[in-house]
Amino acid sequence: LLTSGKWYYEAEIQTAGCIQIGWADSSFAGHCQADRGDGVGDGPSSWAFDGWRRYRWHSTPTEWGCRWAEGDVVGCLVDMDSMAITFTLNGKGEEIGMGLAFSGEGFRPCSGVYACVSFNRKEKIRLILGGEGSESFKFSPPEGYRG
């Protein structure tokens, strides 16, 4: 679990359908309700972006962000020191309607968080988690963030 620092990963969209990408905390149990279609962002223990429906998710959806297409890269950032979640699309943030998605009372995880995604059976994504010896990010993380 990530409990401090600034962290980044990327999700390359391979099919542009129903996918939720983000972060979950230690109390997340999305697999328990998967038969109902629940995933990351659908409850109080996770936060997600869905570029197919253009929503940010945390218990309930809120219209937000840009529509994604096949080949797009979603940047997923969490700042555990200032308690904020940000999303980018192809390296761009606020200038295209992305950027800060959750902070303050909207982001209060139980202990730490970890990268989490959920999607329909036929959808495909590719995660780039970073770290030594792994594939390079498609877009450089902002200064101070690491994979």
Side-chain angles (χ1 to χ4, degrees):
L1 289 176
L2 305 173
T3 58
S4 65
K6 297 178 179 183
W7 300 92
Y8 177 83
Y9 76 94
E10 291 178 338
E12 183 179 345
I13 305 301
Q14 295 184 335
T15 57
C18 188
I19 303 169
Q20 290 170 215
I21 301 168
W23 303 92
D25 72 16
S26 62
S27 65
F28 178 68
H31 65 283
C32 295
Q33 304 297 329
D35 57 333
R36 288 189 352 206
D38 285 358
V40 62
D42 290 328
S45 303
S46 57
W47 301 261
F49 168 59
D50 169 355
W52 181 54
R53 294 175 284 195
R54 292 185 51 235
Y55 286 141
R56 63 182 180 171
W57 292 85
H58 176 59
S59 295
T60 58
T62 304
E63 193 170 310
W64 185 88
C66 294
R67 186 170 305 280
W68 58 40
E70 287 182 22
D72 282 348
V73 176
V74 176
C76 305
L77 302 89
V78 64
D79 183 336
M80 293 301 291
D81 299 327
S82 67
M83 303 306 274
I85 291 176
T86 301
F87 295 100
T88 61
L89 188 64
N90 299 321
K92 297 183 190 291
E94 291 178 3
E95 67 270 29
I96 62 165
M98 298 291 288
L100 182 64
F102 303 101
S103 64
E105 291 302 313
F107 181 55
R108 291 285 176 241
C110 176
S111 65
V113 298
Y114 58 92
C116 191
V117 299
S118 57
F119 45 91
N120 288 341
R121 237 173 245 154
K122 64 185 178 196
E123 304 302 339
K124 293 181 184 179
I125 63 169
R126 189 165 165 273
L127 299 180
I128 302 168
L129 301 174
E132 192 171 325
S134 69
E135 181 179 347
S136 297
F137 290 123
K138 305 288 183 195
F139 298 92
S140 296
E143 189 172 332
Y145 283 81
R146 58 187 173 162

